[in-house]
Structures are given as C-alpha cells and as structure tokens.
C-alpha cells in the first residue's frame, strides 16, 4: 500500500471526523452552554486523530529504515493499523465532547506545539550541515592526515603521486587554496572597503536628503544582482580589460588572474560594506558630533577624529562580515579565477580558491569512496568553520559596540 | 597647528573622495548593465533565410501513401539543399556545396517536418519559408563578425560572404524576433538554444522552495515572536541557529543537499525537487528574520485589543496580528525568493549542471536553472553563446526586477497599514 494513498484516505477520514465532532457539539449546544464553539470540537477531533496516525506512520517508517527486514513484511498491515489508530483516537475524543469539554484549549496547545516543531527545523538543518560535513570529512581524514591536509603545500587531487599509492588519488595539501582564497578576498576588500566606507560617509554626512534618497537604493541594486552575473561580467569585461592594461604596461597578467576575480568580488561587496557602515555611523550619538562641530572642527575632522573612532568597532565588525562573504562566494571565482592551485601572492597570476575546488571536485563525479570527492567535504568543513568564526567575531564586536551607546 | 586654509582644503578633498566613491560605485553598476545590455540586446532577434521549398512528392511520399508514419522518415534535409542549390545554381563542387548548406541551421529540416505534419496536402506544392540561419551567419548579419576583417580572421570566409551578400541583395535574408530563445531548451547550436528549459527548471525549484520555506518560516517567526517564553535556553538556541544559517555560505547548503538528500535519502540527482529543497533550506532564515521584524512592528494595541475582548492568545495572533504583518512577511519572502532565483552555487553541487536539451516535464526530471544556464553558456567560447548568455541574464534580471518591485510595493502597503 502506497504511503500517499494512506495519507489521502486519512485526510478523507479527517474531514468526516470534523463533521462528526461539529454535529455532536451542535446538538449539545441546543441543550446547554458549550465551553468552545462547535468548530473547535470538530477541528480538534480531526486534528487529534489524523496527527496520531501520521505520527504512527512516521515512527513506523523510521523503524523500518533502521531495522530494515523485520518490519517490512508487516507493511501490508500498515494501512489497516493506521486506520484503526485513527478510529480509536477519534472515538476516544468523540466521547470526551461534552458541554464543558475545553476543545479550544486542547487545539491551541496542539497549534503551539506544531509551531515549536517548525521552529526546531532550524536546529535540524544546522545539525544536518554539521553531520554531513563532519561525517564525510572524517572519512576523508581516514586516508589523508589532518596535518597533511591543513599544512601541505601541494594540491593536485586529480593525478596520483605514485602508482602504488593506496586509497589516494593525489596530493591534498590545501595551503595553496587558503592563500588563493585570502588573496582574492584581500583584493576584494581593498576595493570594497574604501569605496563602501567612503560612500557610506558621503551619503550619510554630505549628500543632500534628496540625493541620498535616490542614490542609496541604486547602490543597493548592486546587492541584488546574482553572483553568476558578476562572474560573467568578470569574464567578459574585467578580465580582458585587466589583461590588456597589463600588456600595455608591460606586465604579464594571466587571463584568469586573481586581480580580475578580486576586483569584481569587491564590486559585489560594496553595498554590503556601505550599508553596514551606514547603520553604524548613524548609531553614533548626535551629541558627540555636535560637540566636535561646536568647538570648531570641520566636518571631515569630525568624521575622521570623532565619528569613525567611535564607530570603529562596528565598522570592523562590518568588514569582518564582508570578508566572510568574500570567502564563501562561489560563482565569481568559479567563472573568473583559475583551477590550478598556485602557491603565490602575486595578484597577476591565476589562483584557485576553496569554493572553486569544492565545485571542481563535486561536479560530474558521483562515486563517494574516493578521497577526491570527500576532500570537497573537508574543504567545506574548513569553510564552514572559518565563516562561522568570522561571523561570531563580527556579531560580538558589533553587539559590544551597540551596548556602549545604548 | 594647521591654518584654516589648509584645513578647509582638506575638508574639500575629503568630500571629493566621498563623492568619487559614490560615483565609482554607480559607474561600475552602470558599466555592468551597459556591457550586458550592449552584448545581449541583439539576441532578441534571429536571422532567418527565405527559401522556396518544393515539397516534392518523389522525395517525401513516392508511394502516395499519405501516411505520416511513412513520410516522417523521408529526407527533409534534401528539400533544404535542393532549394539552396536553386538559388545558387553555379555551386556544383561537393566541398563548395557542403559549405553552402552550412549557411542554414540544422533545425531547418525539423521546421519542414512540422510543416508537412501539420498539412499533408502541402506535398507536391511549393512554399516560401523563412528558415533559421546558422549562428555564424547570424553573427555576421548582426555585425558581431566584422566584414572588413581579413579572411583568415573571421569565421565566415569570402565565398560564404559572397553568398550572404547575394541573399541580402535578393532580400532573402532578414532578422525576426527571436522566438527560439523563449521556446527551446539548451542546444549545442547557439541559434537553436533557448532558456525555456532552464526557466521551467527554475520555476519548479522555486515552487518547492516557496511551498516549504514560506509556511515553515512564517510559523517559526510567529512562534518566536508571539509564543516563545523569553529567557528559555532552547529558544535562545533556536535563535542562534537561525542567525548562523543566515551567514553560512550558500555552497555549504549544496554539500548538505548532496550528503543528506541525495546520498542518505537517495533522491534523484539534478532534479528541481532537490534543488528546491536545498534552496528552501537556504531561504528559510532569510524569510524568518524579516518576518519577525514585521511581526515586531505590528502595534501592540492590535493584539491587546483582541485579548481585551476575550480572544485567546492563538486567536489574537492568527486573527489580528498575522494578517496585519502579512504584507511585511510577504516582502521578506519575495526578496528571499529573488535571492533563491539568482542562486547557483548549491545547485551546481547537487548536479543541476548538465547539458539538458529536453524541457523538464516534472519535478524529478533532470533539469538546470536559469543562473546555471547562464553559467553553462558563459563557459562556451562561441560568439553566439556570448550574446545568448547576456540575453539570459537580461531575462533573469527582468524577473528579479519584477519580484523586487512587488516587494517594494508590499512594503509600502505594510508601512501604511501599521501607521
């Protein structure tokens, strides 16, 4: 018997249970005062009994998945048992319906528990991420040691080093990926930091209200553009421009240079930096500003010597968040940065990043035993923790700063 | 001690820096739009060549069967070739002829096949048809291949150019609105490829995303704002988790989908169903956080009024607070959905990146999504695909603009309602 047919049958039963409860309570109401309106009685009857049998079904399926064989032969009875359970609970609830039965209170408790269950899904997701990443990485670390992974300087997962190598298909030293990631993130921050910060200052302190109302939403459009579009922009416009400029200046710049990817990523992060800086700058108490202007400082002196120092923790927090965004960004680097793992700090060369390698290792590969595929999860683990730590630091700094002025 | 003059100069300079920053941000934005638009607008037109096709009885239906199952096996390509040879009778060498036939897209025979299928009586007559030109011809007509380049630097050689000029002089070649772009799936030939398959894939995935993340997100927001007891460790833990999820890089959700949905539960690879689930997981915190803000900004008097006339807490929340907050919650949801529509990294990981010609019919068919299609086309070197990539981006951006305008409208409405 198919699970979905059972569910359809149960919902039909549920509807009839609703009308049964409605009918009984309406007849009751004719005789005496009811605690809850008939609708609640009907709904409670339906919800109570269908929830019990659905719960039963879920437990059954979980048991079946864990102890595969023992229960599956009873599968044929699943339908009958779930119907019996439905009718039993419906019957028990039906008997309970009296003029003083608190159907509404019961139903509302059920609703509340349902909402709580929905909220707990966030925890389930986090646990899911943790388990999937850690479980697969632990399988990876069975064949490659953690130190080799974290401190090795050679990354070539595709080609075996020696022919007799057991369980491994190549070198998994992730240092070149980490340096590549940070190089690109650094270039991105060099673009986004000053431009984002200065435009936030300009918009909140210098621009007229009218200009601000026009310009701010426009800069925020940058935040809404999909990253794949930035990737295309990097490939078609920025990378050729960077290469040609380099050629003109006599520099040898790779066509998939870290510089091009970093520049475009920087453009993507500008609105992110500027909106956080804007919030932080506006949170600085007006008194501080007025005091500084009052003793004769110019606007720029006030900004540089009073507002920015006061807002500094918040700004740093915002920049940290931006860095974590840059590290986790995928599409721009997949399209514009290279695939080869070079251990270099030269922005004109092609580098690869953690996210690029995750994509490269997993796209088109389905076997789940090779360290090659599992390495992607190990990289994911590192990425997850690094961004988590950066976010925590950022939120901590921002919160501390907010408290200071509240 | 600086004198006033230099201090004021410094002030001016500082303001200028700020202005330059804003100007840079804005000009980069416009550069982005201009470069995409200028490369993509031509993709909304396609080049077609007019051929006078003789639907010859001998080729299509020599036995006069009038039976489609027999006719459909005949050589429709030959009709195209014959008609081209009619226009250029002096091209007789095999090699030359082969080159001549390559001016026409390989989809022409399917067009003829459909023509005959729809009207079997056409056999034996002739008809003028506009058939799709090859992508190189298309690029030349649109001016992306320059005619004045030396022969070895362009993809169209002198002989081909001569033919095209002849066709042009006879007005046998023209540009039409590009319907192919919106009615076809992916294809190896630029002129035959379209975004419909990817669009449907995205639509399927987003349906799943909305169906999962909106109810769960709203339920979570309502619980945390209206029911949860304060200073409860478990509730705090939920909140910490939600805030964390909002900051997790999107590619990690792809890993989650690969390990849990595909490997553990054995769901189909490359399916919009799984894509939608992964995007739902990613979108959930992006719906919860604005929904909570919307609930928070509902004036407490609304709830208190309901409670005051005897409503229970659940009644007050669901009959009075939630309806007021709904436009605000929808704003958050639409923005979340717009982000999900543009998201590609997690979909790459669960295998929604493949060359798929067929248009997906169900949630479990292998398919791509619009941003993935952009990524795939951007990876292809042919000039025809560069144009189509830009066009696909324009389609994607159009959807995003519509969604975001809707969100802005709802936000305005919400702000008016609560004031």
């Amino acid at each position: 018997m198919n699970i979905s047919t059972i569910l359809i049958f149960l919902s039909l039963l549920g509807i009839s249970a609703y009308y049964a409860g409605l009918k009984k309570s309406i007849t009751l109401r004719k005789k005496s005062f009811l605690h809850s309106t008939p609708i609640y009685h009907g709904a409670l009857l339906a919800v109570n009994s269908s929830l019990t049998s659905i719960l039963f079904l879920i437990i059954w399926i979980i048991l079946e998945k864990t102890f595969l064989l023992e229960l599956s032969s009873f599968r044929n009875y699943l339908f009958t048992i779930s119907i019996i359970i439905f009718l039993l609970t419906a019957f028990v609830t039906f008997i309970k319906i009296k003029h003083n039965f608190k159907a509404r209170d019961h139903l509302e408790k059920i609703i509340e528990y349902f909402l709580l269950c929905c909220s707990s899904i966030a925890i389930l997701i986090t646990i899911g991420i943790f388990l999937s990443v850690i479980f697969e990485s632990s399988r990876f670390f069975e064949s490659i040691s953690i130190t080799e992974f974290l401190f090795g300087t050679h990354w070539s997962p595709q080609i075996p080093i020696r022919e007799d190598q057991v369980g491994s298909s190549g070198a998994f030293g992730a240092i070149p990926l980490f340096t590549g990631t940070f190089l690109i993130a650094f270039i991105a921050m060099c673009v986004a930091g000053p431009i984002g910060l200065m435009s936030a200052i300009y918009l909140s302190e210098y621009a007229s209200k009218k200009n601000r109302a026009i310009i701010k939403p426009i800069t925020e459009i940058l935040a809404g553009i999909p990253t794949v579009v930035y990737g295309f922009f990097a490939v078609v416009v920025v990378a050729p421009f960077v290469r040609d400029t380099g050629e003109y200046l006599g520099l040898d710049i790779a066509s998939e240079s870290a510089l091009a990817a970093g520049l475009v990523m920087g453009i993507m992060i500008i609105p992110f930096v500027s909106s956080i800086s804007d919030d932080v700058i506006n949170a600085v108490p007006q008194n501080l500003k007025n005091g500084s202007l009052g003793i004769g400082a110019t606007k720029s002196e006030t900004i540089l010597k009073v507002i920015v120092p006061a807002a500094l923790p918040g700004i740093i927090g915002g920049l940290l968040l931006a860095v974590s965004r840059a590290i986790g960004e995928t599409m721009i680097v997949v399209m514009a940065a290279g695939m080869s793992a070079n251990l270099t700090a030269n922005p004109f060369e092609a580098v690869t990043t953690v996210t690029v390698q995750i994509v490269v290792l997993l796209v088109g590969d389905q076997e789940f035993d090779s360290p090659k595929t599992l390495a992607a999860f190990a990289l994911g683990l590192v990425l997850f923790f690094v961004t988590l730590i950066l976010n925590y630091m950022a939120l901590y700094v921002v919160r501390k700063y907010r408290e200071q002025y509240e | 001690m600086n004198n006033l003059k230099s201090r004021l100069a410094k002030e001016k300079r500082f303001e200028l820096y700020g202005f330059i920053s804003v100007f840079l941000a804005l000009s980069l934005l416009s550069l982005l739009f201009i470069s995409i638009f200028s490369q993509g607008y031509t993709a909304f037109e396609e080049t077609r060549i007019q051929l006078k096709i003789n639907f010859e009885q001998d080729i299509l239906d020599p036995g006069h069967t009038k039976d489609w199952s027999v006719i459909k096996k005949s050589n429709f390509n030959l009709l195209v070739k014959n008609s081209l040879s009619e226009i250029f009778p002096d091209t007789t060498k095999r090699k030359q002829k082969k080159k001549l036939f390559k001016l026409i897209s390989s989809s022409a025979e399917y067009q003829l096949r459909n023509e005959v299928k729809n009207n079997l009586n056409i056999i034996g007559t002739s008809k003028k048809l506009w058939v799709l030109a090859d992508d190189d011809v298309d690029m030349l007509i649109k001016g992306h291949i320059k005619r004045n380049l030396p022969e070895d630097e362009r993809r169209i050689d002198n002989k081909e150019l001569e033919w095209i000029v002849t066709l042009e002089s006879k007005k046998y070649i023209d540009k039409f609105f590009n319907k192919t772009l919106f009615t076809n799936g992916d294809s190896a030939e630029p002129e035959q490829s379209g975004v419909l398959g990817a669009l449907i894939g995205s639509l399927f995935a987003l349906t799943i995303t909305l169906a999962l993340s909106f109810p769960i997100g709203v339920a979570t927001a309502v619980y945390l704002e209206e029911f949860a007891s304060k200073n409860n460790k478990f509730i705090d833990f939920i909140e910490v988790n939600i805030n964390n999820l909002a900051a997790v890089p999107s590619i990690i959700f792809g890993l989650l989908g690969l390990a849990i949905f595909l490997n553990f539960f054995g769901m189909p690879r490359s399916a919009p169903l799984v894509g939608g689930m992964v995007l739902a997981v990613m979108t959930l915190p992006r719906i919860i956080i604005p929904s909570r803000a919307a609930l928070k900004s509902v004036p407490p008097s609304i709830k208190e009024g309901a409670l005051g006339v005897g409503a229970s807490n659940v009644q007050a929340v669901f009959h009075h607070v939630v309806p007021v907050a709904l436009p605000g919650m929808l704003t958050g949801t639409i923005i979340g959905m717009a982000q999900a529509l543009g998201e590609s990294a997690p979909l790459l990981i669960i295998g929604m990146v493949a060359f798929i010609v067929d248009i997906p019919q169900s949630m479990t068919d292998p398919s791509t999504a619009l941003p993935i299609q952009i990524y795939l086309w951007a990876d292809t070197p042919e000039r025809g695909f560069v144009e189509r990539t830009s066009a696909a981006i324009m389609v994607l951006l159009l959807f995003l603009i519509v969604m975001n305008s809707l969100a802005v409208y709802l936000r305005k409405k919400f702000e008016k309602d609560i004031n």
Side-chain angles (χ1 to χ4, degrees), chain A residues 287-361:
Chain A
N287 299 344
L288 284 177
K289 214 168 110 183
N290 289 348
S292 164
L293 291 173
I295 56 170
T298 62
K299 237 178 181 178
S300 60
E301 285 162 350
T302 308
I303 290 164
L304 287 175
K305 296 191 174 142
V306 178
I307 296 181
V308 170
L312 199 60
I315 292 172
I316 290 175
L319 291 179
L320 282 178
L321 281 179
V323 171
S324 107
R325 259 306 257 292
I327 289 176
E329 171 47 45
T330 310
M331 290 319 286
I332 295 176
V333 278
V334 166
M335 293 169 85
M339 305 275 168
S340 57
N342 290 331
L343 184 57
T344 173
N346 181 357
F348 302 139
E349 272 184 54
V351 294
T352 191
T353 72
V354 172
T355 47
V356 172
Q357 288 304 316
I358 293 178
V359 170
V360 169
L361 293 175

Side-chain angles (χ1 to χ4, degrees), chain A residues 40 104 108 111-112 115-116 118-123 125-126 128-129 132 136 195 198-199 201-202 206 215 218-219 221-222 224-226 228-229 232-233 236-237 267 296-301 303-304 328 330-331 334-335 355 358-359 362-364 366 368 377 380 383-384 387-388 391-392, chain B residues 7 11 14-15 17-19 21-22 24-26 28-29 31-33 35-36 39 216 219-220 223 227 234 237-238 240-242 244-245 247-249 251-253 255-256 258-260 263 269 281 284 312 314-315 318 342 344-345 348-349 353 371 374-375 378 386 389-390 393 396-397 400:
Chain A
Y40 281 101
R104 192 181 81 182
E108 289 184 347
I111 291 176
E112 236 175 87
L115 293 178
L116 177 64
C118 285
S119 318
S120 311
I121 286 178
I123 298 179
I125 294 171
T126 315
I129 292 178
S132 56
E136 306 287 354
I195 295 184
M198 279 309 287
S199 47
I201 289 173
Y202 182 80
Y206 286 102
I215 296 171
I218 296 178
T219 50
I221 292 176
L222 279 170
I225 294 174
V228 69
V229 178
F232 181 67
F233 181 62
V236 179
V237 179
I267 299 174
T298 62
K299 237 178 181 178
S300 60
E301 285 162 350
I303 290 164
L304 287 175
T330 310
M331 290 319 286
V334 166
M335 293 169 85
T355 47
I358 293 178
V359 170
L362 288 179
V363 167
Q366 298 204 32
F368 246 79
F377 284 91
L383 183 65
F384 183 63
T387 50
L388 201 66
N391 284 315
Y392 260 109
Chain B
R7 279 176 62 201
E11 163 74 19
F14 189 76
E15 189 180 344
Y17 293 151
F19 180 76
S21 304
V22 173
L24 259 179
L26 292 185
L28 285 171
L29 177 69
L31 178 68
L32 182 94
F33 276 116
S35 64
I36 283 166
Q39 294 199 351
I216 296 176
T220 306
Y223 185 77
F227 293 99
F234 185 66
F237 186 56
I238 292 177
V240 167
N241 270 306
I242 291 170
N244 273 345
L245 284 179
V248 169
I251 194 169
I252 301 285
F253 292 108
L255 294 180
L256 168 84
L258 181 60
I260 306 268
N263 277 2
R269 226 175 120 85
V281 169
L284 200 55
S312 70
V314 172
Q315 284 171 329
F318 281 99
S344 20
L348 285 182
I349 301 295
V353 49
I374 292 168
Y375 164 69
V386 174
T389 314
S390 308
I393 288 175
L396 178 62
L397 289 179
L400 294 181

Side-chain angles (χ1 to χ4, degrees), chain B residues 49 51 80 84 100-106 108 131-134 137:
Chain B
I49 295 175
L51 293 180
V80 180
L84 260 181
L100 176 64
F101 299 149
K102 274 181 79 181
L103 291 182
I104 305 284
S105 162
S106 57
V131 299
L132 214 51
D134 188 63
V137 180

Side-chain angles (χ1 to χ4, degrees), chain B residues 57-107:
Chain B
Q57 188 90 46
D58 295 343
I59 297 172
L60 292 174
D61 193 14
H64 292 266
T65 54
K66 295 230 163 201
D67 184 3
W68 172 241
S69 57
V70 178
I71 299 170
K72 76 175 176 194
K73 288 175 192 146
S74 48
N75 189 354
F76 287 91
N77 215 3
L78 194 59
L79 298 179
V80 180
K81 289 180 176 175
N82 285 347
S83 128
L84 260 181
S85 308
E86 240 171 67
I87 304 177
F88 299 102
D90 10 322
T91 318
T92 42
K93 276 191 216 127
R94 254 184 81 95
K95 228 177 173 179
Q96 291 279 322
K97 267 193 154 172
K98 218 172 173 184
K99 209 178 231 172
L100 176 64
F101 299 149
K102 274 181 79 181
L103 291 182
I104 305 284
S105 162
S106 57
S107 70

